Amino acid sequence: MTATDQTATKQTATEQTTTEQTAAAAYKWVGTRPVRPDGVDKVTGKAQFGADRVLPGMLEGVVARSPHAHARIVSIDTTAAAAMPGVHAVITGADFPDLSDSGASADDVSRSRNVMARDKVLYVGHVVAAVAAQTRRQARAAADAIVVEYDVLDHVLTLDQATADGAPLLHPEMVARGIDPEDARPNTASRVAHERGDLDVGFANADVIIERSFTTQAVHQGYIEPHAAVADVTRDGRAELWCSSQGHFAIRSMSTTVLGWELSDVKVTPAEIGGGFGGKTTIYLEPLSLLLSQRSGRPVRMVMDRNEVFTASGPTSGSNIRVKLGATAAGALTAADIMLEYEAGAFPGSPVGAAAMTAIACYDVPNFSVVGFDVVLNRPKTAAYRAPGAPAAAFAVESVLDEVARELSIDPIDLRLMNAAVEGTQASYGPTFPRIGFVETLEAIRHCDHYQSPLGPNQGRGIGCGFWFNVGGNSTATVNVHEDGRLTVMTGSPDIGGSRSSMALFAAEELGIDVNTIQSIIGDTDTIGFADVTGGSRVTLSTGAAVIEACREMREDLCRRAALMWDVDRDLVEWVDGRAQHVDRTETPLSLADVAAKAGRTGGPISVTAAMNMRGAGAGFSTQVVDVEIDPETGQTSVVRFTTAQDAGTAIHPSYVEGQMQGGVVQGIGWALNETYTYREDGSLDNDSFLDYRVPVASDLPMIDTIIVEVPNPAHPYGVRGVGEVGIVPTMGAVANAIHDAIGHRLCDLPMSPMRILDAINQGNG
Amino acid sequence: MTRTHVQCNVNGDEVDFLTDPAESLLNALRDQLGLLGVKEGCGTGDCGACSIMLDDAVTCACLVFAAEAERSTIVTIEGLADADKLHPLQQCFLEGAALQCGVCTPGFLIAAKALLDRNPDPTETEVRYALAGNLCRCTGYDKIIRSVLAAAEEMRNDHGVSL
């Protein structure tokens, strides 16, 4: 069967029709929808999240934060605080090693200074001290009693302020990467560029050239569970840490690096994670709780308040973006000139690199230049957020593509099909695409009922597309057969989207056993081998590959054991439907339980571990169509219908594929219409609550219809691509294009709030 | 600080505890009664993760002082299932994949139960507005809404409610 033959779509839209003519039809368990292993605990309140760990004698820790956006720390006096009732430990930057001259990486130095300021504070909310006390109220009172003397400096809050001549510098010692000294601009940490062909030739060949400038605002991942950590350091120097994160191995290495501790002295146990979306791939409270626990000799729990989550944990970057596209009258793109400027926050490291790589990755453009700048400013250090960097760049590119389609009177899907990246296209970021499913997502939308349906008054329809890499990386999986023949699958990858189900489904498929009998769990750092963070949509892809490899090795082992039990040649045994069978059917087949019962006589316990670094990626694409309705009186936008088509490669648990698609879309809708960080002039965050930072709620939204496209990834044994991230990439562009369709005006600034829409309507009518 | 003695009924049990005047009911439920299924997402009544039934009204436990719970009847997520059987809402959430990270789930289940207690046959729009005080960042709400509608139908069929 060719890859094309295996391609099919699975629609689970409003009408809930499902066409199961998919790659998954060849599987018994993969592609089914069992109840998730962590489900019952989560609907009964038993699941333990970060803040739910309670230890005897546990203290409560809180953080003292900077009220200034940019200031030199002159002195910190903790004497009064340390003497207050119930206080057991107080720590400041002086209690941490200075990594700046230690040979540590720039990222480690940044992280170390972000979790605890040293010399300077760089944003309102930057940590200056932490306290552990018997109660949270005592700890808060003591933190408030810490006296910090500041020498306040001028600050910069926007990209334009940060890069203006003479702007105050956050890091005067910073050496810009990728920029000639004579071209250096203030607070610019690095420049990235992807270039091909000749822009002048490309634009000379164009019949239509459209250029627009865009701005997007910092938005927060908005996970409902605030950051939390519980540390318990024992007097032999060993430490245990329970926390909610997207990667407990990363938390261990980052925490021990900033503390200067031995990595393997700390055991990190992953709590259930109450949402992460990229924002829980780094450290905040973890090293503080460890140090407070060491100093006090007691377990210490630290939990952020919501306003701390907004003020001091990673939002994603705001950006300035300029996009210039050229196309022939027939619709072939000839050139793309793109400039991306991304806010890094207080330390270098915005996702502008990924933004530059993904900006035009959907399309085959012969001549392009994509240049990106990473800019520091006096805001919290940004953290990853679902397809980091890609959504803002796609918003700009998809908006200009929509203009090109209008100018040329070409259907927006046709324009994209004409220029779509396909197998063999050299991606804008370098490699040549293997089999990919972008065209299939476009065709799925073109043929869906939604795209064919008529619009009502004041309504508009928009199309958007997006790309994400879906990375591989390091993973470990251990599969154990219990004495009763049942299975436990353990990995080191925290489950943020239902991956425990996927791991169980792979094991069920490989070993031919009922998925509902399999335990699927995540091991702590002492129990299971290393795994990279759960991020980049890599877990079902590459941790799944480790599970599959372990199961295949186990199947071989089970056959070998059955051969011993029958005293026949290994070659005469095969594993069929969960049982060892003699190829000649001369023996009674042996179930897993039968083999497990005799394990002691056939080589001992049945246990296999697979550890691997999966190279390569599973390029994922999404195409979306949205209908909006604009209230011409108020400028209010209602999303009235939404359909998203995404290439999952193979949908292992279709419900959780749909869930990732729907969740990504709704985050994108919030980013497009409502969400933004609003700062006061003094650099403090004006909307640090869920009341004022308004994420979409149920009454804002329609159902989000999903079309799962399955073009198997040739690099994965089951064709998996990874599905977590690309679903957010097209959404802002699609919504902007729908608004343009409804009101006849292009909005280039996010969020597309009622006020901006009214302004656009009024200016157009004025 | 003077502590107040509070007596109330939580999930069918008569309980009592001492509270100081500034303690929220959320903290008392979590820290004093060990009901850790009641989640704190914001502490300001904006996310609904700490939703409980307080005398038959859906309430954010973070917005109520523990002392105000005197003589009240409280149901938390821990009180939703029977000893041997999940509530239909819980079962439908599981089968409908209505949860991902699950931290908002207890609040959604309580709010959905309150809706179905007073309106056994809600429309999609009624479900969306009844749950508008509960934030979920993972699911986009689609599968939550479907699961509540499915549970409503199942409960109507089981209870022979004629409509």
Side-chain angles (χ1 to χ4, degrees):
Chain A
M1 204 196 287
T2 68
T4 314
D5 293 328
Q6 292 179 28
T7 303
T9 62
K10 210 182 305 183
Q11 182 157 9
T12 41
T14 315
E15 65 270 28
Q16 292 274 299
T17 57
T18 305
T19 318
E20 296 283 0
Q21 294 168 339
T22 65
Y27 302 125
K28 181 172 180 190
W29 295 105
V30 163
T32 63
R33 302 172 186 243
V35 167
R36 58 193 300 147
D38 48 320
V40 171
D41 280 355
K42 285 180 174 173
V43 298
T44 55
K46 285 188 177 172
Q48 278 209 345
F49 293 83
D52 299 335
R53 185 85 194 174
V54 179
L55 295 174
M58 186 172 79
L59 304 176
E60 302 284 347
V62 306
V63 166
R65 298 182 183 276
S66 165
H68 301 294
H70 194 191
R72 218 179 309 282
I73 299 171
V74 178
S75 64
I76 303 180
D77 184 351
T78 61
T79 323
M84 286 175 68
V87 173
H88 283 251
V90 183
I91 56 173
T92 69
D95 297 295
F96 286 77
D98 184 356
L99 298 187
S100 48
D101 295 317
S102 68
S105 73
D107 282 349
D108 283 334
V109 175
S110 290
R111 254 193 304 274
S112 131
R113 289 178 178 237
N114 190 46
V115 298
M116 181 64 84
R118 191 177 194 94
D119 308 331
K120 267 172 82 168
V121 290
L122 296 167
Y123 55 95
V124 173
H126 201 163
V127 180
V128 291
V131 180
Q134 273 173 266
T135 69
R136 202 169 156 80
R137 196 173 316 147
Q138 288 170 333
R140 174 52 57 205
D144 292 346
I146 293 170
V147 181
V148 186
E149 189 186 338
Y150 293 101
D151 173 16
V152 178
L153 305 169
D154 288 341
H155 59 265
V156 287
L157 292 174
T158 66
L159 289 164
D160 293 342
Q161 289 171 5
T163 56
D165 284 343
L169 299 178
L170 275 75
H171 306 283
E173 75 291 354
M174 184 169 74
V175 178
R177 285 179 295 142
I179 305 180
D180 293 334
E182 61 268 26
D183 297 332
R185 304 177 312 164
N187 294 309
T188 304
S190 65
R191 174 185 182 275
V192 293
H194 297 274
E195 285 158 343
R196 187 181 301 160
D198 185 325
L199 274 189
D200 292 338
V201 171
F203 284 115
N205 291 339
D207 298 306
V208 55
I209 296 174
I210 292 177
E211 179 173 3
R212 296 273 183 276
S213 293
F214 300 84
T215 62
T216 72
Q217 298 302 314
V219 297
H220 198 273
Q221 295 82 350
Y223 31 80
I224 307 300
E225 181 206 24
H227 296 268
V230 177
D232 189 9
V233 180
T234 52
R235 283 171 180 78
D236 61 0
R238 289 280 298 164
E240 294 202 36
L241 180 68
W242 291 264
C243 63
S244 145
S245 83
Q246 288 173 242
H248 42 306
F249 289 93
I251 296 298
R252 180 178 65 167
S253 64
M254 292 178 191
S255 296
T256 51
T257 298
V258 305
L259 288 164
W261 292 7
E262 286 295 326
L263 176 138
S264 52
D265 278 344
V266 178
K267 171 174 122 180
V268 185
T269 302
E272 288 294 340
I273 170 171
F277 316 109
K280 289 181 183 165
T281 53
T282 189
I283 49 171
Y284 297 102
L285 302 176
E286 294 82 358
L288 310 184
S289 61
L290 283 165
L291 190 55
L292 285 170
S293 176
Q294 187 199 49
R295 294 293 162 90
S296 62
R298 300 268 287 266
V300 174
R301 173 168 67 180
M302 300 184 81
V303 184
M304 281 197 199
D305 286 336
R306 176 55 55 181
N307 64 346
E308 295 181 282
V309 174
F310 277 120
T311 305
S313 76
T316 192
S317 309
S319 66
N320 288 341
I321 301 176
R322 186 174 47 70
V323 173
K324 180 180 176 186
L325 295 181
T328 65
L333 291 172
T334 58
D337 186 8
I338 299 172
M339 191 285 300
L340 309 157
E341 211 174 36
Y342 273 51
E343 296 168 358
F347 298 91
S350 78
V352 72
M357 291 167 82
T358 57
I360 52 161
C362 288
Y363 306 107
D364 187 2
V365 186
N367 308 288
F368 62 80
S369 162
V370 186
V371 177
F373 296 95
D374 185 40
V375 178
V376 296
L377 68 185
N378 295 111
R379 292 180 176 220
K381 176 172 166 46
T382 56
Y385 180 27
R386 206 168 205 148
F395 159 62
V397 168
E398 294 295 312
S399 293
V400 177
L401 265 182
D402 197 62
E403 298 279 301
V404 171
R406 282 176 186 280
E407 186 75 21
L408 297 173
S409 299
I410 296 177
D411 175 273
I413 290 186
D414 285 340
L415 180 73
R416 287 164 172 85
L417 279 169
M418 270 183 245
N419 295 285
V422 295
E423 181 175 0
T425 301
Q426 190 191 0
S428 56
Y429 58 93
T432 299
F433 281 124
R435 184 79 173 92
I436 53 174
F438 180 37
V439 164
E440 286 78 358
T441 67
L442 283 160
E443 294 286 3
I445 290 296
R446 198 223 298 262
H447 294 116
C448 76
D449 171 65
H450 177 177
Y451 196 61
Q452 307 293 337
S453 66
L455 288 166
N458 297 317
Q459 293 187 352
R461 177 167 295 158
I463 293 289
C465 298
F467 159 80
W468 186 251
F469 314 91
N470 304 322
V471 301
N474 294 290
S475 293
T476 306
T478 293
V479 181
N480 288 324
V481 177
H482 298 284
E483 301 97 297
D484 64 358
R486 290 201 171 187
L487 219 65
T488 291
V489 177
M490 175 163 57
T491 76
S493 299
D495 175 359
I496 60 172
S499 57
R500 269 169 290 195
S501 269
S502 297
M503 300 308 121
L505 283 161
F506 286 132
E509 194 69 48
E510 285 294 327
L511 293 168
I513 52 179
D514 184 341
V515 71
N516 297 299
T517 66
I518 298 175
Q519 295 285 329
S520 183
I521 63 171
I522 301 145
D524 62 61
T525 54
D526 275 2
T527 309
I528 184 83
F530 180 82
D532 287 322
V533 293
T534 296
S537 302
R538 63 171 289 278
V539 171
T540 300
L541 181 70
S542 47
T543 305
V547 170
I548 292 161
E549 186 173 297
C551 289
R552 287 182 178 174
E553 201 175 311
M554 174 164 288
R555 210 167 51 192
E556 176 59 30
D557 183 43
L558 293 167
C559 287
R560 186 190 57 76
R561 290 170 188 262
L564 278 175
M565 289 166 72
W566 288 330
D567 196 18
V568 300
D569 244 24
R570 157 68 189 90
D571 295 346
L572 297 176
V573 182
E574 56 190 7
W575 192 259
V576 182
D577 285 340
R579 298 186 305 176
Q581 239 172 226
H582 194 289
V583 292
D584 298 332
R585 306 291 187 272
T586 52
E587 302 280 351
T588 307
L590 294 169
S591 68
L592 249 177
D594 297 332
V595 180
K598 308 283 189 213
R601 289 189 221 159
T602 55
I606 309 173
S607 176
V608 178
T609 293
M612 59 163 67
N613 183 3
M614 185 172 170
R615 301 289 179 183
F621 293 85
S622 171
T623 299
Q624 303 178 350
V625 56
V626 55
D627 295 351
V628 301
E629 184 171 319
I630 310 285
D631 182 337
E633 299 287 320
T634 64
Q636 176 73 32
T637 300
S638 301
V639 175
V640 294
R641 191 166 181 187
F642 206 111
T643 305
T644 174
Q646 185 175 318
D647 179 14
T650 301
I652 304 305
H653 190 307
S655 295
Y656 293 117
V657 175
E658 294 158 6
Q660 289 297 313
M661 294 165 70
Q662 293 164 332
V665 163
V666 168
Q667 288 183 320
I669 289 172
W671 198 342
L673 297 176
N674 301 322
E675 295 179 34
T676 177
Y677 265 36
T678 313
Y679 278 91
R680 302 183 188 93
E681 278 188 16
D682 68 1
S684 59
L685 185 61
D686 198 21
N687 58 338
D688 61 357
S689 71
F690 272 135
L691 184 65
D692 295 319
Y693 183 94
R694 193 175 182 287
V695 303
V697 302
S699 55
D700 295 334
L701 298 161
M703 293 297 185
I704 307 298
D705 295 339
T706 57
I707 304 172
I708 300 175
V709 173
E710 295 187 298
V711 177
N713 173 12
H716 187 276
Y718 281 75
V720 169
R721 288 189 187 275
V723 295
E725 287 166 291
V726 72
I728 196 175
V729 180
T731 309
M732 289 122 71
V735 172
N737 295 341
I739 289 173
H740 184 282
D741 194 42
I743 67 171
H745 301 288
R746 171 67 49 193
L747 273 79
C748 295
D749 303 301
L750 297 186
M752 295 175 282
S753 59
M755 203 180 297
R756 283 187 166 142
I757 288 176
L758 268 191
D759 283 349
I761 293 172
N762 292 336
Q763 276 173 13
N765 295 342
Chain B
M1 194 180 301
T2 312
R3 309 224 314 158
T4 306
H5 183 230
V6 177
Q7 282 181 289
C8 54
N9 184 296
V10 179
N11 298 329
D13 290 345
E14 295 298 327
V15 300
D16 70 311
F17 56 88
L18 291 175
T19 182
D20 71 53
E23 185 175 44
S24 71
L25 180 54
L26 170 59
N27 285 347
L29 291 171
R30 285 179 58 85
D31 298 341
Q32 304 221 37
L33 302 179
L35 295 168
L36 295 167
V38 190
K39 300 302 179 193
E40 176 165 343
C42 68
T44 50
D46 299 316
C47 79
C50 65
S51 296
I52 58 168
M53 297 299 292
L54 178 61
D55 291 334
D56 296 326
V58 187
T59 304
C60 287
C62 70
L63 294 183
V64 180
F65 289 118
E68 294 179 83
E70 174 68 10
R71 294 183 197 288
S72 66
T73 301
I74 292 169
V75 178
T76 70
I77 186 64
E78 287 89 346
L80 196 57
D82 292 338
D84 58 347
K85 191 169 180 293
L86 293 176
H87 187 280
L89 275 163
Q90 292 171 311
Q91 193 61 41
C92 287
F93 267 51
L94 288 178
E95 289 167 4
L99 55 130
Q100 287 181 31
C101 84
V103 80
C104 71
T105 307
F108 268 97
L109 286 167
I110 293 291
K113 177 182 184 296
L115 168 68
L116 299 190
D117 284 350
R118 66 175 186 272
N119 179 0
D121 189 16
T123 64
E124 180 194 327
T125 302
E126 286 171 333
V127 176
R128 287 187 179 279
Y129 277 88
L131 300 181
N134 293 79
L135 301 182
C136 169
R137 194 63 160 171
C138 293
T139 65
Y141 304 102
D142 183 299
K143 293 185 190 304
I144 293 175
I145 306 298
R146 289 183 200 278
S147 297
V148 173
L149 290 168
E153 186 177 354
E154 189 175 303
M155 289 165 71
R156 288 196 304 275
N157 293 340
D158 282 359
H159 296 153
V161 177
S162 57
L163 294 159

